[in-house]
């Protein structure tokens, strides 16, 4: 069996790696495509560095449009040359669906898209456009299949990978505090994102929040698990802090040790201040109370604000159908609003526990691993289409 996969960012790389492992457990598979380090470790040589596709925001994409267009053409031609049994595109719809459209125009290759578009949040017409080039969707959230099926695509809820990822124990959290001399100090976990643009935009805000919190909580310590390509930015942004944060830098540690340290930091923290995204689910898995904040360029903010159809973008709030997690998005991404919310969550962490537990249950905790469920769904779809 030959499979062509395309991932465009770190979250897609994780999904793709788990799916590849699931497929390998069920069939003999030859992989081609665009991949990050995790998918490459599962046996794929990437057509080009996946990081070239990690661009977010309408204004941010424009300067790189010509280069991305060349990569779209190159990838579509590679799919056609490989003649796979199935093309699996993973998230990154602005890139992936353009590739799928070119492949569909020149072949009958079955196409599966992993991660349903957020049509329940904004731009609902995307489902109909996707149905023109995609045969099957693998959904991370249980409320998504009806939206995709109404547009004419098969859609399988396969669970979210966060439910099968390891979390630290209480003993590991205590060990983390002891190893870094944190003692019983109140601990804030800071997660400013993985893209250079978002880190550059959020770190000044987060720096101000931390200054305000240090004024109220003199013993407060801050830990920042960094992504390799933004670690220097975070170091520069925090260089003048009166109380230096603990920065976990993956470039200075064995990957397995860094991952274990990061998990322990999540569990050890009293509260997290995080950029909007899937990290809210990682925090929920670790039972770490959180506040979410995010901002974008002025142009992107104006356009998206007019399209948004939901009153929250935090996944824990959406999956649990609560508004337990405070969020500060766009114009509300202000230190004077965020700092009091962090203090409140730290004072009453139990307020979010039920919402986090419900989220994990609804995402498939205790069921078969999402990667295996996704692989089974792909093979089922192939069998049905052949029949």
């Amino acid at each position: 069996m030959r499979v062509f996969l395309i991932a465009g960012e770190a979250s897609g790389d994780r999904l793709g790696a788990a799916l590849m492992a699931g497929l390998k457990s069920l069939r003999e598979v030859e992989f081609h495509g665009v991949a990050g380090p995790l998918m490459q470790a599962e046996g794929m040589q990437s057509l080009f560095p996946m990081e070239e596709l990690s661009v977010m925001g309408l204004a941010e994409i424009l300067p790189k449009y010509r280069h991305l267009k060349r990569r779209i053409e190159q990838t579509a031609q590679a799919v056609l040359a490989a003649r796979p049994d199935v093309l699996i595109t993973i998230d990154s719809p602005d890139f992936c669906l353009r590739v799928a459209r070119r492949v569909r125009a020149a072949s009958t290759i079955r196409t599966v898209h992993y991660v349903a578009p957020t049509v329940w949040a904004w731009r609902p017409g995307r489902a109909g456009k996707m149905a023109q080039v995609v045969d099957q969707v693998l959904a991370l959230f249980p409320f998504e299949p009806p939206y995709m099926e109404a547009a004419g695509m098969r859609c399988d809820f396969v669970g979210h990978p966060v439910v099968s990822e390891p979390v630290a124990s209480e003993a590991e959290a205590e060990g983390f505090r002891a190893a870094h001399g944190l003692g019983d100090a109140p601990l804030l976990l800071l997660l400013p994102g993985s893209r250079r643009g978002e880190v550059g935009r959020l770190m000044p805000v987060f720096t101000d929040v931390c200054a305000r919190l240090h004024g109220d909580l003199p013993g407060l310590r801050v830990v920042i698990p960094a992504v390799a390509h933004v670690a220097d930015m975070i170091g520069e942004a925090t260089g003048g802090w009166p109380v230096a944060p603990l920065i976990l830098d993956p470039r200075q540690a064995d990957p397995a040790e860094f991952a274990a340290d990061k998990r322990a930091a999540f569990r050890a923290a009293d509260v997290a201040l995080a950029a909007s995204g899937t990290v809210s689910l990682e925090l929920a898995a670790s039972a770490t109370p959180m506040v979410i904040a995010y901002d974008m360029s002025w142009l992107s903010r104006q356009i998206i604000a007019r399209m948004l159809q939901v009153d929250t973008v935090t996944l824990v709030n959406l999956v649990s159908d609560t508004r337990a997690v405070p969020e500060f998005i766009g114009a509300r991404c202000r230190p004077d609003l965020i700092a009091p919310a962090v203090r409140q969550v730290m004072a009453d962490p139990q307020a979010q526990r039920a919402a986090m537990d419900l989220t994990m249950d609804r995402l498939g905790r205790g069921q078969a691993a999402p990667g295996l469920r996704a692989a089974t769904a792909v093979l089922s779809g192939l069998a049905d289409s052949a029949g």
Side-chain angles (χ1 to χ4, degrees):
M1 180 179 177
R2 186 179 296 115
V3 178
F4 199 107
L5 298 102
I6 306 171
E9 51 188 302
S11 59
D13 187 39
R14 289 195 298 273
L15 290 171
L19 171 56
M20 290 171 68
L23 287 169
K24 289 193 296 183
S25 73
L26 300 171
R27 295 283 178 88
E28 290 288 330
V29 190
E30 175 186 319
F31 295 111
H32 301 265
V34 180
L38 299 179
M39 291 171 68
Q40 292 177 50
E42 289 292 338
M44 183 193 295
Q45 183 174 349
S46 188
L47 188 62
F48 53 81
M50 182 193 73
E51 290 73 22
E52 292 184 20
L53 307 183
S54 297
V55 183
M56 185 175 184
L58 302 175
E60 290 81 357
I61 288 173
L62 291 176
K64 299 184 178 181
Y65 176 73
R66 288 189 176 182
H67 178 71
L68 289 171
K69 188 174 180 180
R70 286 194 294 271
R71 288 304 196 194
I72 289 167
E73 296 294 345
Q74 177 189 5
T75 306
Q77 290 304 314
V79 176
L80 295 171
R83 299 177 64 186
D85 296 285
V86 61
L87 164 64
I88 304 175
T89 57
I90 307 172
D91 211 356
S92 302
D94 289 329
F95 182 87
C96 286
L97 297 183
R98 283 174 169 82
V99 173
R101 186 168 298 278
R102 285 158 175 77
V103 170
R104 176 56 53 90
S107 75
T108 58
I109 295 170
R110 182 173 177 80
T111 300
V112 177
H113 190 70
Y114 198 170
V115 183
T118 53
V119 296
W120 38 267
W122 68 307
R123 290 171 57 198
R126 287 176 293 167
K129 292 180 180 178
M130 177 182 282
Q132 298 171 9
V133 297
V134 168
D135 301 293
Q136 180 181 6
V137 177
L138 307 178
L140 303 186
F141 301 109
F143 53 78
E144 293 178 318
Y147 294 94
M148 302 296 102
E149 291 164 353
M153 294 170 284
R154 169 172 171 163
C155 187
D156 299 84
F157 167 58
V158 298
H160 197 286
V162 72
V163 300
S164 62
E165 293 172 356
V167 296
S169 65
E170 192 60 38
E172 289 169 324
E174 292 174 2
F176 176 84
R177 281 181 170 269
H180 296 285
L182 300 173
D184 295 326
L187 185 61
L188 170 65
L189 183 69
L190 215 60
L191 298 158
S194 60
R195 301 179 182 89
R196 295 184 66 85
E198 64 190 5
V199 171
R201 196 169 288 115
L202 290 176
M203 276 308 297
V205 177
F206 285 12
T207 295
D208 194 336
V209 170
C210 289
R212 293 166 185 261
L213 293 174
H214 278 299
D216 295 335
L217 299 166
L220 180 71
R221 298 295 304 274
V222 179
V223 59
I224 310 176
V227 177
H229 60 274
V230 298
D232 286 338
M233 289 182 67
I234 291 172
E236 293 170 6
T238 60
W241 284 21
V243 180
L246 170 61
I247 300 175
L248 305 182
D249 189 338
R251 301 170 302 175
Q252 300 173 3
D254 172 81
E257 292 177 1
F258 173 79
D261 231 20
K262 180 180 175 181
R263 290 194 297 268
F266 272 52
R267 186 63 180 264
D270 295 295
V271 64
L273 173 58
S276 176
T278 56
V279 72
S280 70
L281 300 180
E282 297 176 50
L283 291 166
S286 294
T288 307
M290 71 195 85
V291 173
I292 299 298
Y294 200 79
D295 202 2
M296 59 208 78
S297 71
W298 181 88
L299 177 60
S300 296
R301 188 198 293 180
Q302 299 305 309
I303 294 172
I304 292 173
R306 286 166 171 75
M307 296 180 175
L308 205 60
Q309 300 188 104
V310 290
D311 64 348
T312 179
V313 297
T314 300
L315 292 169
V316 171
N317 288 342
L318 289 164
V319 175
S320 66
D321 196 23
T322 70
R323 298 298 179 263
V325 177
E327 65 178 24
F328 301 88
I329 309 298
R332 299 187 70 245
C333 186
R334 291 167 30 194
D336 62 313
L337 299 178
I338 297 169
V342 173
R343 288 195 295 269
Q344 176 59 37
V345 171
M346 188 176 285
D348 184 17
Q350 294 301 322
Q352 291 183 20
R353 302 293 185 193
M356 291 191 287
D357 277 344
L358 181 58
T359 296
M360 291 299 103
D361 288 342
R362 287 183 173 175
L363 293 181
R365 181 169 58 184
Q367 301 179 39
L372 180 58
R373 292 173 66 180
T376 301
V378 169
L379 296 176
S380 172
L382 278 170
D384 288 349
S385 65

